[in-house]
Amino acid sequence: MNIGQAAKLGGVSAKMVRHYESIGLLSTAKRTASNYRVYSEKDVHILRFIKQARTLGFPIEHIKELLSLWHNQRRSSQRVKELAQKHLRELDTRIRELSEIKATLENLMQHCHGDDRPECPILDGLATKNLRLGRPGTVRVK
Amino acid sequence: MNIGQAAKLGGVSAKMVRHYESIGLLSTAKRTASNYRVYSEKDVHILRFIKQARTLGFPIEHIKELLSLWHNQRRSSQRVKELAQKHLRELDTRIRELSEIKATLENLMQHCHGDDRPECPILDGLATKNLRLGRPGTVRVK
DNA sequence: TTAGAGCTTCCCATCGTGGGAAGGTCAAGC
DNA sequence: GCTTGACCTTCCCACGATGGGAAGCTCTAA
């Protein structure tokens, strides 16, 4: 099948399929005489695997390793679980960071009237407070 | 003062100060005869404001508006609160998404031995399940 | 034969930040 | 005075994952 159908069945865009090939997540696809990429059912399975892992937020580099573990019949499930646990910790960290930001923002908003008067504790807070969010660390909101 | 000190006092990098100027978040800085940017205490206050707003995860475009509201003595606090509420909703959405991902991942990991055997429900789940986030119960690992 | 859908590669944009090169400026110590 | 090193300037590139779109080729159905 062509890239369009493989992408559709795999639940990703054709654009992403080419991208995954370019970064070595997928092996180089065979080509027809007219240079069209050709895919098999197996490739569709791989695309689905990638899609699911991306849905869970695994970064591409981890997915690369997960794919190789998946294909390796002599793998140990230990490494897989390690990767999952690492990702879980990152999710936890992120959730905590965002929750701290949320709490700080709610705190600032609490006393803002939100009417036509200019007084605004939110602006005052941004201007003068030293907004410390829990433990210091990189705050990435997205 | 020069850009280095202003950046330090504002809690951001000199690189970012130049960037903020280039995207119109800061007005164009005056220059010395030798083309060095010159900053005042007022600029440092603005940098601090930006820094705090970034710490709370506000996108640059919102910060642009917050800054102009801050400088406008005839503002209504309503608009400020609107922006904050919008950001709060986005934080909530993101926290919810991440929590759903986390729950799904924990579910997958639950039955993985994480030892030297190859059997791995995590890989099986990525390969075969239709990991639907946000519907508790639809992701099941036997 | 032609239209249009699908394929190819290539470049650009996102968003906020950092890295680094190549070169100009300044102040302190000799 | 001259050297050294810290600081400044602009410019380009990178990240991660994705989408948009242009220009051009291929395939298929009418």
Side-chain angles (χ1 to χ4, degrees):
Chain A
M1 73 188 84
N2 288 340
I3 197 171
Q5 197 184 354
K8 193 173 180 180
L9 293 175
V12 302
S13 69
K15 206 113 186 175
M16 279 296 101
V17 176
R18 294 192 197 95
H19 179 62
Y20 292 153
E21 179 182 318
S22 80
I23 62 176
L25 193 55
L26 295 175
S27 53
T28 310
K30 284 173 194 154
R31 303 289 186 120
T32 64
S34 56
N35 206 30
Y36 280 24
R37 289 175 179 81
V38 178
Y39 296 92
S40 67
E41 283 298 327
K42 187 182 171 189
D43 296 313
V44 171
H45 288 317
I46 294 174
L47 286 176
R48 286 205 187 113
F49 185 101
I50 294 171
K51 166 70 174 179
Q52 307 264 43
R54 283 296 305 135
T55 298
L56 292 187
F58 280 100
I60 298 289
E61 280 312 305
H62 282 196
I63 297 178
K64 226 178 246 187
E65 192 174 351
L66 288 171
L67 273 174
S68 91
L69 287 163
W70 186 40
H71 291 320
N72 177 7
Q73 293 304 322
R74 278 191 293 287
R75 67 180 166 250
S76 68
S77 59
Q78 191 179 5
R79 181 60 186 143
V80 182
K81 198 161 189 177
E82 275 172 19
L83 285 173
Q85 268 162 346
K86 182 173 181 187
H87 186 47
L88 199 57
R89 280 195 298 274
E90 276 160 16
L91 287 171
D92 262 333
T93 300
R94 221 110 124 46
I95 290 169
R96 190 163 21 83
E97 286 170 354
L98 291 177
S99 300
E100 284 165 4
I101 289 173
K102 182 189 166 191
T104 304
L105 186 57
E106 280 174 335
N107 193 14
L108 280 180
M109 289 172 65
Q110 202 170 359
H111 298 294
C112 175
H113 293 294
D115 55 21
D116 55 0
R117 285 173 294 178
E119 293 78 31
C120 183
I122 300 170
L123 292 179
D124 293 346
L126 290 173
T128 68
K129 294 273 174 17
N130 186 4
L131 302 173
R132 232 168 306 221
L133 306 169
R135 327 270 172 287
T138 307
V139 176
R140 298 152 301 188
V141 179
K142 271 199 184 170
Chain B
M1 71 188 87
N2 289 339
I3 196 171
Q5 197 184 354
K8 193 173 180 182
L9 294 176
V12 302
S13 68
K15 207 108 184 178
M16 278 297 102
V17 176
R18 293 191 197 95
H19 179 62
Y20 292 153
E21 179 182 317
S22 80
I23 62 176
L25 194 53
L26 295 175
S27 53
T28 310
K30 284 173 195 156
R31 304 290 185 118
T32 65
S34 56
N35 206 31
Y36 281 22
R37 288 176 181 81
V38 178
Y39 296 93
S40 66
E41 284 299 327
K42 187 181 170 189
D43 295 313
V44 171
H45 287 318
I46 294 174
L47 286 175
R48 287 207 186 111
F49 185 101
I50 294 172
K51 165 70 172 180
Q52 307 266 41
R54 284 294 307 136
T55 298
L56 292 187
F58 281 99
I60 299 289
E61 280 311 306
H62 282 196
I63 297 178
K64 225 178 248 186
E65 192 174 351
L66 288 172
L67 273 175
S68 90
L69 287 163
W70 186 41
H71 289 322
N72 177 7
Q73 293 304 324
R74 276 190 290 288
R75 69 184 164 246
S76 69
S77 61
Q78 190 178 7
R79 181 60 186 145
V80 182
K81 197 160 189 177
E82 274 173 19
L83 285 172
Q85 268 163 345
K86 182 174 182 188
H87 187 47
L88 198 57
R89 281 194 297 273
E90 275 159 17
L91 287 171
D92 261 334
T93 299
R94 193 72 190 118
I95 290 169
R96 192 162 17 84
E97 286 169 355
L98 290 176
S99 300
E100 284 164 4
I101 289 173
K102 182 189 166 192
T104 304
L105 184 58
E106 280 174 335
N107 192 12
L108 278 180
M109 289 172 65
Q110 203 170 357
H111 298 293
C112 176
H113 292 295
D115 56 20
D116 56 359
R117 286 173 292 177
E119 293 79 29
C120 184
I122 300 171
L123 291 179
D124 294 346
L126 289 174
T128 67
K129 292 286 175 358
N130 186 5
L131 301 174
R132 249 166 305 209
L133 303 173
R135 272 163 277 190
T138 57
V139 177
R140 220 156 260 128
V141 179
K142 44 193 161 36

